[in-house]
Amino acid sequence: QVQLVESGGGLVQAGGSLRLSCAASGRTSVTYQMGWFRQAPGKSREFIASVSWSDSTTYYGPSVKGRFTISKDNARNTVYLQMNSLKPEDTAVYYCATATITKKTYDYWGQGTQVTVSS
């Protein structure tokens, strides 16, 4: 099993920045890819960013590209999401997830951290 714990969420004014962290524990040797998703009230889950654990290849969702940056620390089994130029529409619960080497699907999820951007 893999356990994920997000941290770093909070309240920030528009134009500000936040850095989210997601620490993995358990059987972390099976990690293939880690990603960030978000879900706002009344809306479906949205892909934010992902990073490959082996070669550090990154992908970003169109709504955050150029503003958000994903990074990782393999030794600490931790993934980060640096969020800059935040907008009120970025308000959501942010989740991190892990895809395993064997299944390559996001089958492990954290509990989420709330990000609220005020005007």
Side-chain angles (χ1 to χ4, degrees), residues 38-44 89 91-93:
R38 71 185 182 189
Q39 187 165 17
K43 296 184 178 180
S44 60
E89 61 197 64
T91 296
V93 177

Side-chain angles (χ1 to χ4, degrees), residues 48-99:
I48 299 301
S50 67
V51 58
S52 172
W53 217 245
S54 60
D55 61 10
S56 300
T57 299
T58 59
Y59 297 93
Y60 293 94
S63 64
V64 304
K65 191 172 185 178
R67 298 188 298 122
F68 292 8
T69 303
I70 189 170
S71 61
K72 64 181 177 68
D73 186 333
N74 294 59
R76 297 180 179 179
N77 298 120
T78 301
V79 65
Y80 307 93
L81 184 68
Q82 179 67 46
M83 305 185 294
N84 298 324
S85 302
L86 284 163
K87 307 173 182 179
E89 61 197 64
D90 293 319
T91 296
V93 177
Y94 285 70
Y95 301 89
C96 69
T98 295

Side-chain angles (χ1 to χ4, degrees), residues 4 12-13 25 37 44 50 67 72 87 99 101 109:
L4 303 172
V12 65
Q13 287 188 304
S25 61
F37 299 79
S44 60
S50 67
R67 298 188 298 122
K72 64 181 177 68
K87 307 173 182 179
I101 295 174
W109 294 80

